[in-house]
Amino acid sequence: MEAVAENLNETITLRATEDVLPWAVRTANLCLAFGGHQVLEGLNLTLQAGEAILLRGENGSGKTTLLNILSGLIRPDAGSVLLHLKGREIDVTGSSPERIARSGLGRLWQDIRLFPTMTALDNVLAASAELLDRTALAGITCWPLIRRQERVARERALHNLALVGMADRSDSSADKLSVGQMKRVALARLLQAEADFWLLDEPLAGLDQVSAEEILRLLERFNTDHGKTMLVVEHQHERMAPICGRMFFLANGHLQPERSV
Amino acid sequence: MSYLLHLLIFFQIYAVVAMSLNLLIGYGGLLQVAHAAYFGVGAYTAALLWTKLGVGFIPGLLGAALMSSLLSLLVSLSAWRFRGDYFVMISLAVQVVLYSLMYNFMDITNGPYGITAIPKPVIMDSIFATQEATFAIYVVIVGMLAFILAAAKLSPFGLSLQAMRDDELAARSLGIPVRRLKVEAFMLASAMVGVAGGLYASYISYIDPTSFTLDESILMLSMVIVGGTGNVRGPLVGAAVLIAIPELLRFLSLPDTVAAHIRLLAYGLLLILMMHWRPQGLAGRYRFE
Ligand SMILES: Nc1ncnc2c1ncn2[C@@H]1O[C@H](COP(=O)(O)OP(=O)(O)OP(=O)(O)O)[C@@H](O)[C@H]1O
Ligand SMILES: Nc1ncnc2c1ncn2[C@@H]1O[C@H](COP(=O)(O)OP(=O)(O)OP(=O)(O)O)[C@@H](O)[C@H]1O
Ligand SMILES: [Mg+2]
Ligand SMILES: [Mg+2]
């Protein structure tokens, strides 16, 4: 336990220099109640571009609810969500999930949610953000162009599958994969969608020691090498903390900064 | 009149019907219960363009495609507020409304008397009057339609439809514009089935509203479910099987009044057996749930 705390303090001082980076996500005064039960009460949170934040909180404290608001599934009663990704600053309060996703937000679902009847490769390919022209008209008319776009997207998808160590399973049906493998494909999908801000809902849940360590290394790598901004909800905070710069605890609808475990 | 050729021409027409419906059900996971109505809209549009306005055969078919797909766009836009399961109700209403329009709009559709003397295909001054000629020209047209549908299914559009079918929320959260995809899928499928309606009208040369009822829509659904959804082969098998059933029953030489009921019974039985033993259909890939 002490070792972890030490490790953590070290990380904090290391990351403190990053405060000069531009912000990537900013929520102001988020409020949400479910039928009289106030879940979020004026929640403020700012993430700097490229930083990873760990969010903890008791069961039912509203962590998933916060992620749902950020990804556009729930509209907050009050407050706003601003994204500053891909060089654009936009207010996405109450926007649709599609629009928010196209602005650069991606989510790893707690229950993963791959497309079960599709192969690993098609799962990744379907996520290709701006690369594919998805209209029916394009599909039936300009197919030489479509084929070319698709070839590029396919190469990128294979590359992304290789990055998460799933290149050899690209033709496996998604519902035949193990939980750890599914999570890897889901991460490749986020890379393919060119998401810059990742919401990770319990990325280590359901994994054995070895797989958890592997996913952890991948996340660390996408954060440091690829500069992905991450908001991680994770109960296994001892494992997660070393790769996260700051930690927050969600209670009574507010965030409290945590400096040690 | 060759009996076999007659069946083959029917198979061509219903192959288009089943393939286009498969785009919605098998690829998009969208339940469409008004397919026969759009088939009818295509049939009436083409028949009226040919008989009343003297439009050419191919322009008439294009008109049928345009009319059906614009109508589906209109339905999608006016039902924009409705979601998911409610849309099945809307589609049911569309089926009923279109049928009663065909039945009651005497001035245009000639109501229950239907439209007669619909001409055979004429393309660049050649008349395709015989059954053989009709079969040949339909091979070309149906081949083109099948090609277009296959291209759509294999394109990023088709892939996105499948993603939406598998998990709509996950798809949306990856930026896949599911609403637009649905509207486009309905427009494309309606255009295709509209052309099939035109081919039907020209082949049998007489149409009336009874060919475009809810029962017909359910027959079309059965083709897709029996054949199997989510691939190209399935609906073809389904169309062939459901065209064959009434013909096989014919050999029992039942009296006409009984035969119709027996046929419905046979369809129902087949559906139940399929659901039980082979939910993915005879030749399908995706399990219909
Ligand atoms: N759709 C909903 N309708 C009504 N109440 C809801 C809804 N979603 C969540 N809640 C309530 O909001 C509160 C916060 O739930 P949330 O799922 O965000 O918690 P959590 O922090 O993710 O918990 P856990 O750690 O168990 O996943 C809970 O009291 C829950 O019952
Ligand atoms: N059976 C159908 N026939 C024709 N169009 C349909 C059909 N089903 C859906 N649509 C079209 O797709 C639109 C979107 O439907 P859908 O149920 O996906 O809404 P939604 O995306 O869930 O809406 P929201 O974003 O408000 O949750 C419908 O309004 C309609 O235009
Ligand atoms: Mg939760
Ligand atoms: Mg919806």
Side-chain angles (χ1 to χ4, degrees):
Chain A
M1 212 55 184
E2 271 169 26
V4 173
E6 233 178 73
N7 195 339
L8 186 72
N9 282 328
E10 198 182 298
T11 342
I12 287 170
T13 45
L14 266 179
R15 304 282 167 122
T17 52
E18 289 175 2
D19 281 355
V20 291
L21 284 170
W23 62 276
V25 187
R26 179 170 282 165
T27 77
N29 192 34
L30 281 184
C31 297
L32 186 87
F34 286 118
H37 169 46
Q38 197 74 33
V39 179
L40 300 182
E41 221 171 340
L43 184 141
N44 296 303
L45 173 65
T46 301
L47 278 90
Q48 250 95 56
E51 83 168 329
I53 282 187
L54 176 58
L55 177 63
R56 299 203 301 137
E58 285 168 10
N59 290 128
S61 58
K63 305 181 293 296
T64 298
T65 303
L66 174 61
L67 298 195
N68 285 343
I69 291 176
L70 292 175
S71 45
L73 307 189
I74 305 179
R75 179 193 286 269
D77 296 336
S80 62
V81 180
L82 301 180
L83 295 182
H84 182 194
L85 304 167
K86 302 182 187 299
R88 285 176 303 158
E89 187 183 323
I90 32 177
D91 184 339
V92 295
T93 321
S95 290
S96 70
E98 294 91 320
R99 176 154 182 270
I100 292 179
R102 282 196 291 270
S103 312
L105 180 145
R107 177 166 183 175
L108 178 71
W109 300 83
Q110 190 174 347
D111 48 356
I112 313 175
R113 305 189 82 140
L114 291 184
F115 304 121
T117 69
M118 292 163 48
T119 63
L121 180 61
D122 279 350
N123 261 276
V124 179
L125 200 53
S128 315
E130 304 297 313
L131 211 48
L132 296 175
D133 194 343
R134 297 175 198 274
T135 61
L137 200 60
I140 61 184
T141 52
C142 43
W143 48 274
L145 175 71
I146 291 283
R147 284 282 159 271
R148 201 167 56 238
Q149 285 185 350
E150 208 180 343
R151 220 171 19 247
V152 177
R154 191 172 293 270
E155 259 162 40
R156 211 158 62 81
L158 284 169
H159 172 74
N160 286 331
L161 278 174
L163 279 182
V164 298
M166 288 292 292
D168 53 334
R169 301 300 302 271
S170 62
D171 290 328
S172 306
S173 172
D175 60 357
K176 302 283 187 302
L177 299 173
S178 75
V179 173
Q181 291 168 336
M182 284 184 191
K183 290 204 175 178
R184 287 158 180 271
V185 174
L187 292 181
R189 214 161 59 161
L190 293 184
L191 291 173
Q192 186 82 3
E194 293 175 0
D196 294 329
F197 173 39
W198 290 15
L199 300 176
L200 303 157
D201 204 349
E202 308 201 16
L204 305 184
L207 298 180
D208 61 38
Q209 295 275 340
V210 180
S211 305
E213 199 56 37
E214 286 167 353
I215 293 288
L216 210 51
R217 293 284 79 83
L218 283 176
L219 292 182
E220 183 176 28
R221 183 156 154 222
F222 294 140
N223 176 232
T224 53
D225 298 355
H226 298 236
K228 303 296 184 189
T229 310
M230 295 179 175
L231 176 58
V232 191
V233 170
E234 184 56 65
H235 289 295
Q236 302 179 34
H237 54 272
E238 304 91 342
R239 285 170 162 268
M240 208 66 226
I243 74 160
C244 291
R246 294 187 287 162
M247 296 210 298
F248 287 95
F249 198 85
L250 178 58
N252 306 320
H254 307 283
L255 288 180
Q256 292 146 13
E258 286 187 295
R259 287 274 148 181
S260 56
V261 182
Chain B
M1 250 323 248
S2 147
Y3 176 60
L4 184 65
L5 217 44
H6 169 73
L7 287 187
L8 282 177
I9 291 174
F10 256 70
F11 172 70
Q12 291 177 317
I13 294 168
Y14 280 94
V16 176
V17 168
M19 283 188 297
S20 58
L21 191 53
N22 183 39
L23 179 73
L24 297 177
I25 298 184
Y27 283 75
L30 301 163
L31 191 56
Q32 166 69 300
V33 294
H35 217 47
Y38 288 102
F39 183 68
V41 168
Y44 272 100
T45 306
L48 290 169
L49 286 174
W50 292 327
T51 55
K52 294 266 156 64
L53 300 180
V55 166
F57 182 69
I58 297 292
L61 290 182
L62 292 178
L66 197 66
M67 186 64 129
S68 287
S69 76
L70 284 183
L71 195 67
S72 102
L73 177 64
L74 194 73
V75 170
S76 291
L77 292 182
S78 55
W80 195 256
R81 308 247 96 234
F82 294 90
R83 299 173 193 184
D85 299 341
Y86 288 103
F87 212 92
V88 178
M89 303 309 288
I90 301 283
S91 138
L92 197 59
V94 167
Q95 166 68 51
V96 173
V97 167
L98 286 179
Y99 172 75
S100 57
L101 277 180
M102 291 173 204
Y103 201 88
N104 294 310
F105 217 153
M106 285 298 289
D107 290 349
I108 293 182
T109 65
N110 205 21
Y113 309 112
I115 298 177
T116 52
I118 301 169
K120 294 287 165 224
V122 179
I123 298 171
M124 294 198 286
D125 293 333
S126 345
I127 304 180
F128 295 78
T130 66
Q131 234 183 352
E132 287 78 8
T134 305
F135 177 77
I137 190 71
Y138 278 19
V139 165
V140 176
I141 295 172
V142 170
M144 276 166 49
L145 296 181
F147 181 81
I148 292 174
L149 275 171
K153 287 168 183 172
L154 295 176
S155 72
F157 169 69
L159 187 67
S160 310
L161 273 184
Q162 289 179 62
M164 176 181 88
R165 173 198 72 199
D166 274 10
D167 191 330
E168 184 166 334
L169 196 53
R172 296 177 74 180
S173 301
L174 288 167
I176 296 178
V178 299
R179 262 186 173 238
R180 206 194 66 206
L181 283 179
K182 286 180 192 182
V183 174
E184 287 183 344
F186 277 106
M187 285 184 73
L188 180 58
S190 305
M192 294 292 151
V193 81
V195 175
L199 296 177
Y200 172 83
S202 173
Y203 177 61
I204 63 167
S205 80
Y206 164 75
I207 53 172
D208 70 20
T210 57
S211 311
F212 313 116
T213 57
L214 181 59
D215 282 358
E216 284 297 311
S217 278
I218 290 169
L219 175 73
M220 292 173 178
L221 279 173
S222 316
M223 288 182 176
V224 174
I225 293 168
V226 167
T229 53
N231 64 10
V232 178
R233 186 173 69 240
L236 298 183
V237 174
V241 169
L242 286 206
I243 289 176
I245 287 180
E247 304 305 325
L248 292 176
L249 288 176
R250 241 180 238 239
F251 289 113
L252 300 179
S253 52
L254 300 163
D256 270 2
T257 45
V258 186
H261 298 292
I262 297 282
R263 202 165 66 213
L264 279 181
L265 263 176
Y267 291 155
L269 201 62
L270 186 62
L271 273 184
I272 292 170
L273 290 178
M274 293 298 305
M275 285 300 182
H276 194 74
W277 296 109
R278 240 187 116 73
Q280 72 273 46
L282 290 173
R285 193 173 72 87
Y286 169 65
R287 275 168 177 268
F288 190 75
E289 281 154 310

